[in-house]
Amino acid sequence: MRAFGAVLASTLLASTVLLTGAAPALADATWSPSPIAWTTCPDDPDNPGVPDGECGTLRVPLDWDRPQGPSIGLAVARHRATDPAHRVGVLMADAGGPGSSGAEIPLSPGYFGAEVEARFDVVGFDLRGTGNSGRIDCDFPAGAPDNEPADRARFEELRAFDRQVVTDCRARNLPVFDHADTATNARDLDAVRRALGEDKISFHGASYGTLLGQQYAERYGDHVRAMVLDGIIDHSVDLEHFVGDRAAAVDELFGQFTAWCAATTTCALHGRDVLATWRQAQAAADAMPFPHNWLRDQVYQDMRVPDWDDVGQVIADTAAARSPVRAEFVPNYPSIRLAVVCQDFDLRMRSFTQYSAMYAEELRRSPIMRGSTIGHDEATACLGVAGPPANPPHRLNVSKAPRILLLSSRYDPATPYAWAVNVHRQAPANTTLLTYEGSGHGAYRRTPCTRAAVDGYLLTLKTPHHDFGCPA
Protein backbone atom coordinates (compact mmCIF):
# COMPACT_ATOMS: atom_id res chain seq x y z
CA MET A 1 0.00 0.00 0.00
CA ARG A 2 0.93 3.66 0.00
CA ALA A 3 3.87 4.51 2.22
CA PHE A 4 2.88 5.47 5.75
CA GLY A 5 4.09 9.03 5.32
CA ALA A 6 1.96 9.53 2.24
CA VAL A 7 -1.08 8.11 3.99
CA LEU A 8 -0.49 10.39 6.98
CA ALA A 9 -0.15 13.40 4.69
CA SER A 10 -3.36 12.46 2.92
CA THR A 11 -5.16 12.09 6.26
CA LEU A 12 -3.93 15.49 7.46
CA LEU A 13 -5.00 17.05 4.17
CA ALA A 14 -8.48 15.55 4.51
CA SER A 15 -8.75 16.95 8.05
CA THR A 16 -7.76 20.40 6.82
CA VAL A 17 -10.35 20.21 4.06
CA LEU A 18 -13.13 19.46 6.51
CA LEU A 19 -12.18 22.46 8.61
CA THR A 20 -11.47 25.02 5.90
CA GLY A 21 -12.50 23.66 2.52
CA ALA A 22 -9.41 25.33 1.05
CA ALA A 23 -6.62 22.76 0.96
CA PRO A 24 -7.48 20.97 -2.32
CA ALA A 25 -7.83 24.22 -4.23
CA LEU A 26 -4.38 25.26 -3.05
CA ALA A 27 -2.87 21.83 -3.71
CA ASP A 28 -4.37 21.64 -7.22
CA ALA A 29 -3.54 25.23 -8.19
CA THR A 30 -0.14 24.27 -9.57
CA TRP A 31 -1.75 21.97 -12.14
CA SER A 32 -4.01 22.85 -15.04
CA PRO A 33 -5.87 20.41 -17.29
CA SER A 34 -5.53 20.37 -21.03
CA PRO A 35 -8.79 20.63 -22.99
CA ILE A 36 -10.32 17.27 -23.83
CA ALA A 37 -9.91 16.35 -27.50
CA TRP A 38 -13.36 14.97 -28.35
CA THR A 39 -13.68 12.32 -31.05
CA THR A 40 -16.27 9.85 -32.27
CA CYS A 41 -16.69 7.04 -29.78
CA PRO A 42 -15.34 3.63 -30.83
CA ASP A 43 -17.88 1.09 -32.01
CA ASP A 44 -19.24 -1.22 -29.34
CA PRO A 45 -21.46 -3.92 -30.85
CA ASP A 46 -22.71 -4.95 -27.40
CA ASN A 47 -23.70 -1.38 -26.47
CA PRO A 48 -24.32 0.74 -29.59
CA GLY A 49 -25.49 3.69 -27.49
CA VAL A 50 -26.19 7.07 -29.05
CA PRO A 51 -24.72 7.85 -32.48
CA ASP A 52 -23.70 11.40 -31.58
CA GLY A 53 -21.81 10.68 -28.38
CA GLU A 54 -18.27 12.00 -27.99
CA CYS A 55 -15.32 10.35 -26.29
CA GLY A 56 -11.96 11.58 -25.11
CA THR A 57 -9.19 11.19 -22.56
CA LEU A 58 -8.16 13.55 -19.77
CA ARG A 59 -4.74 13.09 -18.22
CA VAL A 60 -4.57 13.90 -14.52
CA PRO A 61 -1.85 13.49 -11.89
CA LEU A 62 -1.50 9.95 -10.63
CA ASP A 63 -0.85 11.39 -7.17
CA TRP A 64 -2.63 14.69 -6.60
CA ASP A 65 -0.14 15.57 -3.85
CA ARG A 66 2.57 15.45 -6.56
CA PRO A 67 0.79 17.10 -9.49
CA GLN A 68 3.93 17.39 -11.61
CA GLY A 69 4.68 13.67 -11.34
CA PRO A 70 3.37 10.75 -13.42
CA SER A 71 -0.14 10.99 -14.85
CA ILE A 72 -3.04 8.68 -15.63
CA GLY A 73 -5.54 8.88 -18.47
CA LEU A 74 -9.26 9.01 -17.62
CA ALA A 75 -11.76 7.88 -20.25
CA VAL A 76 -14.44 10.60 -20.59
CA ALA A 77 -17.65 10.61 -22.65
CA ARG A 78 -20.20 13.32 -23.41
CA HIS A 79 -23.61 13.63 -25.00
CA ARG A 80 -24.41 17.23 -25.79
CA ALA A 81 -27.74 18.81 -24.91
CA THR A 82 -30.24 18.09 -27.67
CA ASP A 83 -31.79 21.54 -27.19
CA PRO A 84 -28.66 23.71 -27.09
CA ALA A 85 -30.63 26.94 -27.25
CA HIS A 86 -31.99 26.16 -23.77
CA ARG A 87 -28.89 24.46 -22.39
CA VAL A 88 -28.58 24.66 -18.59
CA GLY A 89 -25.06 23.33 -18.24
CA VAL A 90 -23.15 20.12 -17.58
CA LEU A 91 -24.61 17.14 -15.69
CA MET A 92 -21.88 14.80 -14.46
CA ALA A 93 -23.00 11.27 -13.60
CA ASP A 94 -21.56 8.23 -11.87
CA ALA A 95 -23.29 4.87 -11.50
CA GLY A 96 -21.19 3.59 -8.62
CA GLY A 97 -20.23 -0.02 -8.08
CA PRO A 98 -17.37 0.51 -7.54
CA GLY A 99 -16.56 -0.81 -10.98
CA SER A 100 -19.35 0.61 -13.12
CA SER A 101 -18.32 2.65 -16.15
CA GLY A 102 -19.25 6.30 -15.77
CA ALA A 103 -18.31 6.89 -19.41
CA GLU A 104 -21.16 4.61 -20.52
CA ILE A 105 -23.86 6.81 -18.99
CA PRO A 106 -23.78 9.62 -21.60
CA LEU A 107 -23.84 6.96 -24.31
CA SER A 108 -26.93 5.22 -22.87
CA PRO A 109 -30.10 6.91 -24.16
CA GLY A 110 -32.89 7.23 -21.63
CA TYR A 111 -30.72 7.08 -18.51
CA PHE A 112 -32.12 10.50 -17.67
CA GLY A 113 -35.47 12.02 -18.56
CA ALA A 114 -35.91 13.48 -22.04
CA GLU A 115 -35.99 17.10 -20.86
CA VAL A 116 -32.84 16.62 -18.78
CA GLU A 117 -31.04 15.16 -21.79
CA ALA A 118 -32.35 18.05 -23.92
CA ARG A 119 -30.96 20.74 -21.63
CA PHE A 120 -27.76 19.28 -20.20
CA ASP A 121 -24.51 18.09 -21.65
CA VAL A 122 -24.38 14.70 -19.89
CA VAL A 123 -20.77 13.80 -19.05
CA GLY A 124 -19.30 10.76 -17.36
CA PHE A 125 -15.86 9.30 -16.87
CA ASP A 126 -14.46 5.95 -15.85
CA LEU A 127 -13.09 6.32 -12.35
CA ARG A 128 -9.58 5.07 -11.67
CA GLY A 129 -9.39 1.31 -11.92
CA THR A 130 -12.58 0.95 -14.00
CA GLY A 131 -13.30 0.62 -17.70
CA ASN A 132 -10.67 2.41 -19.76
CA SER A 133 -9.10 4.31 -16.85
CA GLY A 134 -6.43 1.82 -15.78
CA ARG A 135 -8.85 -1.03 -15.10
CA ILE A 136 -7.89 -3.07 -12.04
CA ASP A 137 -8.16 -6.83 -12.45
CA CYS A 138 -7.00 -9.34 -9.86
CA ASP A 139 -6.29 -13.02 -10.23
CA PHE A 140 -8.34 -14.86 -7.63
CA PRO A 141 -6.91 -18.34 -7.08
CA ALA A 142 -9.15 -21.32 -6.57
CA GLY A 143 -9.65 -22.83 -3.15
CA ALA A 144 -10.44 -19.68 -1.19
CA PRO A 145 -11.22 -20.42 2.46
CA ASP A 146 -14.79 -19.93 3.69
CA ASN A 147 -15.22 -16.26 4.62
CA GLU A 148 -17.30 -17.26 7.64
CA PRO A 149 -14.50 -18.90 9.67
CA ALA A 150 -15.71 -21.00 12.60
CA ASP A 151 -12.57 -20.79 14.72
CA ARG A 152 -9.32 -18.89 15.17
CA ALA A 153 -7.30 -21.21 12.94
CA ARG A 154 -9.71 -20.78 10.02
CA PHE A 155 -9.77 -17.02 10.58
CA GLU A 156 -5.97 -16.89 10.31
CA GLU A 157 -6.13 -19.07 7.19
CA LEU A 158 -8.61 -16.65 5.60
CA ARG A 159 -6.52 -13.63 6.56
CA ALA A 160 -3.35 -15.17 5.11
CA PHE A 161 -5.17 -16.01 1.88
CA ASP A 162 -6.62 -12.51 1.58
CA ARG A 163 -3.24 -10.92 2.24
CA GLN A 164 -1.72 -12.89 -0.61
CA VAL A 165 -4.59 -11.93 -2.93
CA VAL A 166 -4.13 -8.24 -2.11
CA THR A 167 -0.34 -8.44 -2.46
CA ASP A 168 -0.63 -10.10 -5.86
CA CYS A 169 -3.42 -7.79 -7.02
CA ARG A 170 -1.52 -4.68 -6.03
CA ALA A 171 1.65 -5.85 -7.80
CA ARG A 172 -0.39 -6.66 -10.91
CA ASN A 173 -2.16 -3.27 -10.97
CA LEU A 174 0.46 -0.73 -9.93
CA PRO A 175 0.54 2.22 -9.90
CA VAL A 176 -3.22 2.86 -10.08
CA PHE A 177 -4.01 0.43 -7.24
CA ASP A 178 -2.43 2.81 -4.70
CA HIS A 179 -4.34 5.86 -5.98
CA ALA A 180 -7.97 4.82 -6.47
CA ASP A 181 -9.83 5.86 -3.31
CA THR A 182 -12.89 8.07 -3.59
CA ALA A 183 -11.24 11.21 -2.23
CA THR A 184 -8.79 10.96 -5.14
CA ASN A 185 -11.65 10.39 -7.57
CA ALA A 186 -13.34 13.55 -6.28
CA ARG A 187 -10.29 15.55 -7.28
CA ASP A 188 -10.41 13.89 -10.71
CA LEU A 189 -14.06 14.96 -10.99
CA ASP A 190 -13.05 18.56 -10.44
CA ALA A 191 -10.31 18.19 -13.03
CA VAL A 192 -12.96 17.15 -15.56
CA ARG A 193 -15.03 20.21 -14.59
CA ARG A 194 -12.04 22.46 -15.15
CA ALA A 195 -11.19 20.80 -18.47
CA LEU A 196 -14.76 21.44 -19.63
CA GLY A 197 -14.40 25.12 -18.72
CA GLU A 198 -17.39 25.05 -16.36
CA ASP A 199 -17.57 27.12 -13.18
CA LYS A 200 -20.32 24.90 -11.73
CA ILE A 201 -21.58 21.42 -12.51
CA SER A 202 -24.66 19.43 -11.64
CA PHE A 203 -24.06 15.89 -10.44
CA HIS A 204 -26.07 12.68 -10.27
CA GLY A 205 -24.52 9.83 -8.31
CA ALA A 206 -26.04 6.40 -7.75
CA SER A 207 -25.03 3.79 -5.17
CA TYR A 208 -21.27 4.07 -4.54
CA GLY A 209 -21.37 7.16 -6.75
CA THR A 210 -23.13 8.91 -3.87
CA LEU A 211 -19.87 8.82 -1.93
CA LEU A 212 -18.11 10.48 -4.86
CA GLY A 213 -20.77 13.19 -4.81
CA GLN A 214 -20.52 13.72 -1.07
CA GLN A 215 -16.75 14.02 -1.15
CA TYR A 216 -16.90 16.39 -4.11
CA ALA A 217 -19.44 18.56 -2.28
CA GLU A 218 -17.19 18.61 0.80
CA ARG A 219 -14.13 19.73 -1.13
CA TYR A 220 -15.63 21.77 -3.96
CA GLY A 221 -19.10 22.74 -2.77
CA ASP A 222 -18.87 26.19 -4.34
CA HIS A 223 -18.59 24.51 -7.77
CA VAL A 224 -21.84 22.54 -7.34
CA ARG A 225 -24.98 23.84 -9.03
CA ALA A 226 -27.19 20.87 -8.09
CA MET A 227 -26.56 17.39 -6.71
CA VAL A 228 -28.70 14.24 -6.63
CA LEU A 229 -27.54 11.25 -4.61
CA ASP A 230 -29.52 8.03 -5.09
CA GLY A 231 -28.90 5.00 -2.83
CA ILE A 232 -26.82 6.61 -0.12
CA ILE A 233 -23.43 5.44 1.13
CA ASP A 234 -22.78 6.66 4.68
CA HIS A 235 -19.07 7.36 4.97
CA SER A 236 -19.31 7.78 8.75
CA VAL A 237 -20.17 4.16 9.58
CA ASP A 238 -17.83 1.90 11.51
CA LEU A 239 -17.33 -1.83 10.90
CA GLU A 240 -20.32 -2.83 13.04
CA HIS A 241 -22.76 -0.60 11.14
CA PHE A 242 -21.13 -1.19 7.75
CA VAL A 243 -22.05 -4.86 8.08
CA GLY A 244 -24.91 -4.80 10.59
CA ASP A 245 -27.07 -2.15 8.91
CA ARG A 246 -26.98 -4.09 5.65
CA ALA A 247 -27.78 -7.32 7.47
CA ALA A 248 -30.88 -5.76 9.00
CA ALA A 249 -31.88 -4.31 5.62
CA VAL A 250 -31.92 -7.68 3.84
CA ASP A 251 -34.19 -9.19 6.50
CA GLU A 252 -36.58 -6.24 6.21
CA LEU A 253 -36.62 -6.72 2.45
CA PHE A 254 -37.29 -10.44 2.82
CA GLY A 255 -40.38 -9.42 4.76
CA GLN A 256 -41.50 -7.43 1.72
CA PHE A 257 -41.05 -10.51 -0.45
CA THR A 258 -43.10 -12.60 1.98
CA ALA A 259 -45.95 -10.08 1.85
CA TRP A 260 -45.79 -9.93 -1.96
CA CYS A 261 -45.86 -13.71 -2.24
CA ALA A 262 -48.88 -14.00 0.05
CA ALA A 263 -50.78 -11.55 -2.18
CA THR A 264 -49.57 -12.81 -5.58
CA THR A 265 -50.93 -16.05 -7.02
CA THR A 266 -48.07 -16.37 -9.51
CA CYS A 267 -45.46 -16.56 -6.73
CA ALA A 268 -43.93 -20.05 -6.72
CA LEU A 269 -44.47 -20.18 -2.96
CA HIS A 270 -47.98 -18.73 -2.90
CA GLY A 271 -50.13 -20.45 -0.30
CA ARG A 272 -47.11 -21.98 1.46
CA ASP A 273 -45.31 -21.03 4.66
CA VAL A 274 -42.59 -18.91 3.06
CA LEU A 275 -40.29 -18.80 6.10
CA ALA A 276 -40.54 -22.56 6.63
CA THR A 277 -39.81 -23.21 2.96
CA TRP A 278 -36.88 -20.77 3.09
CA ARG A 279 -35.36 -22.67 6.03
CA GLN A 280 -35.86 -25.93 4.14
CA ALA A 281 -34.14 -24.40 1.10
CA GLN A 282 -31.23 -23.21 3.25
CA ALA A 283 -30.72 -26.69 4.64
CA ALA A 284 -30.84 -28.18 1.13
CA ALA A 285 -28.41 -25.54 -0.18
CA ASP A 286 -25.93 -26.28 2.60
CA ALA A 287 -25.83 -29.90 1.41
CA MET A 288 -25.12 -28.97 -2.22
CA PRO A 289 -21.57 -28.81 -3.62
CA PHE A 290 -21.54 -25.04 -3.98
CA PRO A 291 -19.82 -22.28 -1.99
CA HIS A 292 -21.27 -21.61 1.45
CA ASN A 293 -24.31 -19.29 1.44
CA TRP A 294 -24.67 -19.39 -2.36
CA LEU A 295 -28.46 -19.43 -1.93
CA ARG A 296 -28.43 -16.28 0.17
CA ASP A 297 -26.18 -14.63 -2.37
CA GLN A 298 -28.49 -15.52 -5.27
CA VAL A 299 -31.58 -14.28 -3.45
CA TYR A 300 -29.75 -11.09 -2.49
CA GLN A 301 -28.97 -10.34 -6.14
CA ASP A 302 -32.64 -10.84 -7.04
CA MET A 303 -33.77 -8.59 -4.19
CA ARG A 304 -31.64 -5.70 -5.41
CA VAL A 305 -33.80 -5.49 -8.55
CA PRO A 306 -36.22 -6.66 -7.03
CA ASP A 307 -37.19 -9.75 -9.03
CA TRP A 308 -39.70 -11.32 -6.68
CA ASP A 309 -40.72 -14.00 -9.21
CA ASP A 310 -37.18 -15.32 -9.37
CA VAL A 311 -36.76 -15.15 -5.58
CA GLY A 312 -39.79 -17.42 -5.20
CA GLN A 313 -38.64 -19.80 -7.93
CA VAL A 314 -35.08 -20.04 -6.55
CA ILE A 315 -36.37 -20.89 -3.08
CA ALA A 316 -38.90 -23.41 -4.41
CA ASP A 317 -36.32 -25.12 -6.63
CA THR A 318 -33.73 -25.32 -3.87
CA ALA A 319 -36.20 -26.63 -1.30
CA ALA A 320 -37.01 -29.38 -3.80
CA ALA A 321 -33.27 -30.22 -4.03
CA ARG A 322 -32.88 -28.69 -7.48
CA SER A 323 -29.91 -26.35 -7.92
CA PRO A 324 -31.00 -23.10 -9.61
CA VAL A 325 -27.60 -21.39 -9.82
CA ARG A 326 -27.77 -18.47 -12.24
CA ALA A 327 -24.80 -17.13 -14.14
CA GLU A 328 -24.30 -13.45 -13.48
CA PHE A 329 -22.20 -10.79 -15.18
CA VAL A 330 -20.14 -8.81 -12.71
CA PRO A 331 -17.66 -6.09 -13.76
CA ASN A 332 -14.32 -5.85 -11.96
CA TYR A 333 -16.02 -5.11 -8.64
CA PRO A 334 -14.34 -8.00 -6.72
CA SER A 335 -10.98 -6.57 -7.77
CA ILE A 336 -11.50 -2.85 -7.49
CA ARG A 337 -13.17 -3.00 -4.07
CA LEU A 338 -9.75 -3.92 -2.66
CA ALA A 339 -8.34 -0.59 -3.85
CA VAL A 340 -11.45 1.53 -3.22
CA VAL A 341 -13.82 0.23 -0.51
CA CYS A 342 -10.93 -0.97 1.66
CA GLN A 343 -9.37 2.52 1.46
CA ASP A 344 -12.64 4.41 2.03
CA PHE A 345 -13.68 2.50 5.17
CA ASP A 346 -11.86 1.12 8.19
CA LEU A 347 -12.86 -2.52 7.83
CA ARG A 348 -9.68 -4.03 9.25
CA MET A 349 -10.42 -6.88 11.68
CA ARG A 350 -7.39 -7.41 13.83
CA SER A 351 -8.40 -10.60 15.62
CA PHE A 352 -10.78 -13.54 15.55
CA THR A 353 -12.43 -12.05 18.63
CA GLN A 354 -13.27 -8.88 16.71
CA TYR A 355 -14.55 -10.91 13.77
CA SER A 356 -16.70 -13.09 16.05
CA ALA A 357 -18.32 -10.02 17.64
CA MET A 358 -19.08 -8.57 14.20
CA TYR A 359 -20.51 -11.84 12.90
CA ALA A 360 -22.64 -12.35 16.01
CA GLU A 361 -24.13 -8.88 15.53
CA GLU A 362 -24.71 -9.62 11.85
CA LEU A 363 -26.67 -12.78 12.67
CA ARG A 364 -28.55 -11.05 15.48
CA ARG A 365 -29.79 -8.41 13.06
CA SER A 366 -30.41 -10.87 10.23
CA PRO A 367 -31.72 -14.20 11.56
CA ILE A 368 -33.63 -14.93 8.33
CA MET A 369 -31.03 -14.24 5.64
CA ARG A 370 -27.94 -15.00 7.80
CA GLY A 371 -26.49 -11.60 7.08
CA SER A 372 -25.75 -9.51 4.01
CA THR A 373 -23.75 -10.70 1.03
CA ILE A 374 -22.23 -7.33 0.24
CA GLY A 375 -21.47 -6.20 3.78
CA HIS A 376 -19.89 -9.44 4.97
CA ASP A 377 -17.96 -10.05 1.75
CA GLU A 378 -16.48 -6.55 1.64
CA ALA A 379 -15.46 -6.63 5.30
CA THR A 380 -13.74 -10.01 5.01
CA ALA A 381 -12.09 -9.15 1.68
CA CYS A 382 -10.46 -6.18 3.40
CA LEU A 383 -8.79 -8.53 5.91
CA GLY A 384 -5.87 -8.63 3.51
CA VAL A 385 -5.31 -4.87 3.30
CA ALA A 386 -2.56 -3.40 5.47
CA GLY A 387 -2.33 0.02 7.08
CA PRO A 388 -4.99 2.63 7.83
CA PRO A 389 -7.46 3.65 5.11
CA ALA A 390 -6.14 6.34 2.77
CA ASN A 391 -9.58 8.04 2.83
CA PRO A 392 -10.67 7.72 6.46
CA PRO A 393 -14.39 7.61 7.29
CA HIS A 394 -15.85 10.78 8.77
CA ARG A 395 -19.09 12.66 9.25
CA LEU A 396 -20.34 14.69 6.31
CA ASN A 397 -19.62 18.41 6.07
CA VAL A 398 -21.13 20.01 2.97
CA SER A 399 -21.72 23.48 4.39
CA LYS A 400 -20.46 25.17 1.19
CA ALA A 401 -22.70 23.17 -1.13
CA PRO A 402 -26.22 24.09 -2.26
CA ARG A 403 -29.26 22.01 -1.34
CA ILE A 404 -28.65 18.35 -2.18
CA LEU A 405 -31.47 15.94 -3.02
CA LEU A 406 -31.05 12.54 -1.34
CA LEU A 407 -33.03 9.53 -2.60
CA SER A 408 -33.46 6.15 -1.01
CA SER A 409 -35.75 3.17 -1.32
CA ARG A 410 -37.35 2.31 2.00
CA TYR A 411 -36.19 -1.29 1.51
CA ASP A 412 -32.74 -1.19 -0.08
CA PRO A 413 -30.45 -4.18 0.64
CA ALA A 414 -27.22 -2.59 -0.62
CA THR A 415 -27.36 0.96 0.77
CA PRO A 416 -29.79 0.74 3.70
CA TYR A 417 -32.41 3.39 4.28
CA ALA A 418 -30.81 3.97 7.68
CA TRP A 419 -27.73 5.32 5.88
CA ALA A 420 -29.76 7.88 3.96
CA VAL A 421 -31.42 9.01 7.18
CA ASN A 422 -28.07 9.29 8.93
CA VAL A 423 -26.44 11.27 6.11
CA HIS A 424 -29.46 13.60 6.14
CA ARG A 425 -28.99 14.09 9.89
CA GLN A 426 -25.35 15.03 9.31
CA ALA A 427 -26.31 17.82 6.89
CA PRO A 428 -29.88 18.86 7.78
CA ALA A 429 -29.49 22.46 6.65
CA ASN A 430 -28.90 21.72 2.98
CA THR A 431 -30.21 18.21 2.22
CA THR A 432 -33.73 17.03 1.43
CA LEU A 433 -34.60 13.33 1.67
CA LEU A 434 -36.94 11.76 -0.86
CA THR A 435 -38.12 8.32 0.26
CA TYR A 436 -39.36 5.85 -2.32
CA GLU A 437 -41.74 3.66 -0.30
CA GLY A 438 -40.77 0.53 -2.18
CA SER A 439 -38.08 -2.10 -2.59
CA GLY A 440 -34.82 -2.44 -4.45
CA HIS A 441 -31.49 -0.69 -4.84
CA GLY A 442 -31.84 2.84 -6.21
CA ALA A 443 -34.97 4.96 -6.58
CA TYR A 444 -34.64 7.48 -9.44
CA ARG A 445 -35.99 5.36 -12.29
CA ARG A 446 -38.57 3.45 -10.24
CA THR A 447 -41.70 5.53 -10.82
CA PRO A 448 -42.93 8.69 -12.58
CA CYS A 449 -42.99 10.33 -9.14
CA THR A 450 -39.29 9.76 -8.44
CA ARG A 451 -38.30 10.72 -11.99
CA ALA A 452 -40.33 13.92 -11.89
CA ALA A 453 -38.89 14.93 -8.53
CA VAL A 454 -35.29 14.47 -9.67
CA ASP A 455 -35.71 15.93 -13.15
CA GLY A 456 -37.64 18.92 -11.81
CA TYR A 457 -34.93 19.65 -9.25
CA LEU A 458 -32.12 19.38 -11.80
CA LEU A 459 -33.91 21.71 -14.21
CA THR A 460 -35.23 24.33 -11.77
CA LEU A 461 -33.25 23.83 -8.52
CA LYS A 462 -36.59 23.77 -6.72
CA THR A 463 -37.16 21.07 -4.14
CA PRO A 464 -39.04 21.17 -0.84
CA HIS A 465 -37.00 22.02 2.23
CA HIS A 466 -39.05 19.37 4.03
CA ASP A 467 -38.64 15.66 3.34
CA PHE A 468 -41.17 13.97 1.08
CA GLY A 469 -41.95 10.59 -0.44
CA CYS A 470 -43.13 8.68 -3.50
CA PRO A 471 -45.40 5.63 -3.22
CA ALA A 472 -44.25 2.17 -4.25
Side-chain angles (χ1 to χ4, degrees):
M1 307 308 291
R2 218 176 295 180
F4 176 76
V7 172
L8 178 60
S10 176
T11 304
L12 292 173
L13 176 63
S15 301
T16 305
V17 169
L18 292 177
L19 292 173
T20 68
L26 294 174
D28 301 350
T30 59
W31 176 89
S32 296
S34 299
I36 300 169
W38 297 105
T39 62
T40 302
C41 295
D43 290 335
D44 182 354
D46 296 325
N47 181 27
V50 292
D52 50 350
E54 301 172 295
C55 291
T57 300
L58 175 66
R59 298 209 68 85
V60 298
L62 175 70
D63 183 347
W64 276 104
D65 294 335
R66 297 171 177 81
Q68 306 308 319
S71 64
I72 181 174
L74 304 177
V76 189
R78 174 174 67 181
H79 182 250
R80 290 184 180 273
T82 57
D83 182 6
H86 298 95
R87 178 183 179 275
V88 173
V90 165
L91 173 59
M92 299 286 297
D94 184 71
S100 299
S101 170
E104 289 184 359
I105 294 176
L107 310 179
S108 303
Y111 189 91
F112 294 108
E115 191 172 0
V116 170
E117 293 184 344
R119 302 186 62 190
F120 285 93
D121 293 345
V122 179
V123 178
F125 70 100
D126 290 346
L127 303 188
R128 297 172 181 226
T130 70
N132 293 310
S133 297
R135 179 185 172 96
I136 291 173
D137 274 313
C138 303
D139 183 17
F140 294 96
D146 190 340
N147 73 350
E148 295 181 0
D151 54 40
R152 192 177 310 277
R154 292 179 184 178
F155 173 81
E156 293 300 337
E157 180 187 5
L158 175 63
R159 179 155 62 178
F161 180 89
D162 285 350
R163 281 176 174 167
Q164 190 60 52
V165 167
V166 171
T167 298
D168 293 347
C169 183
R170 178 175 179 266
R172 181 184 177 122
N173 294 282
L174 284 174
V176 68
F177 190 94
D178 285 355
H179 302 277
D181 61 88
T182 302
T184 300
N185 287 324
R187 297 173 82 169
D188 290 347
L189 175 57
D190 198 62
V192 176
R193 174 194 67 79
R194 293 166 63 188
L196 294 171
E198 299 287 330
D199 180 57
K200 293 180 182 288
I201 58 169
S202 298
F203 179 84
H204 183 285
S207 190
Y208 211 81
T210 65
L211 181 54
L212 176 64
Q214 291 172 56
Q215 300 216 299
Y216 186 82
E218 284 186 318
R219 292 171 177 263
Y220 306 103
D222 52 346
H223 290 294
V224 176
R225 172 190 169 272
M227 181 169 286
V228 177
L229 305 178
D230 180 12
I232 311 298
I233 293 286
D234 181 0
H235 195 220
S236 73
V237 293
D238 57 13
L239 172 65
E240 177 181 329
H241 288 90
F242 184 90
V243 176
D245 291 348
R246 285 164 153 172
V250 294
D251 267 30
E252 290 176 1
L253 187 50
F254 195 94
Q256 294 299 297
F257 162 69
T258 301
W260 173 87
C261 194
T264 307
T265 57
T266 57
C267 175
L269 303 178
H270 183 71
R272 299 166 64 176
D273 184 330
V274 172
L275 282 178
T277 309
W278 168 244
R279 295 188 188 99
Q280 181 184 351
Q282 286 181 309
D286 289 344
M288 292 179 182
F290 300 116
H292 184 53
N293 267 336
W294 68 267
L295 175 62
R296 178 199 67 184
D297 298 350
Q298 176 64 57
V299 169
Y300 168 82
Q301 294 298 334
D302 282 341
M303 293 201 306
R304 284 169 61 102
V305 180
D307 184 346
W308 293 142
D309 286 305
D310 200 55
V311 171
Q313 195 62 57
V314 165
I315 295 172
D317 287 346
T318 309
R322 298 186 294 268
S323 54
V325 178
R326 270 67 162 172
E328 181 190 1
F329 171 76
V330 178
N332 63 328
Y333 160 74
S335 300
I336 197 172
R337 67 183 180 182
L338 301 177
V340 179
V341 179
C342 298
Q343 293 300 333
D344 288 339
F345 291 91
D346 190 358
L347 304 178
R348 285 82 171 140
M349 283 177 279
R350 294 158 180 85
S351 67
F352 178 66
T353 300
Q354 186 181 10
Y355 166 79
S356 297
M358 180 211 77
Y359 188 46
E361 176 67 4
E362 186 178 7
L363 294 181
R364 183 189 71 80
R365 299 188 68 181
S366 181
I368 297 172
M369 287 284 288
R370 298 179 182 171
S372 160
T373 295
I374 188 170
H376 189 97
D377 287 3
E378 287 183 342
T380 52
C382 293
L383 272 175
V385 178
N391 179 29
H394 59 267
R395 291 180 61 82
L396 186 66
N397 179 355
V398 290
S399 57
K400 290 190 175 182
R403 181 157 295 275
I404 296 171
L405 180 59
L406 309 176
L407 282 81
S408 178
S409 297
R410 177 75 69 175
Y411 304 101
D412 184 330
T415 53
Y417 184 67
W419 288 4
V421 172
N422 197 36
V423 167
H424 184 35
R425 287 189 185 126
Q426 293 169 40
N430 58 336
T431 59
T432 295
L433 176 59
L434 166 56
T435 302
Y436 165 62
E437 299 289 351
S439 303
H441 182 42
Y444 168 52
R445 298 195 286 177
R446 294 285 175 186
T447 70
C449 175
T450 51
R451 273 189 174 275
V454 170
D455 292 357
Y457 162 69
L458 288 173
L459 291 164
T460 69
L461 300 182
K462 294 178 182 177
T463 190
H465 282 215
H466 58 83
D467 301 339
F468 62 111
C470 285

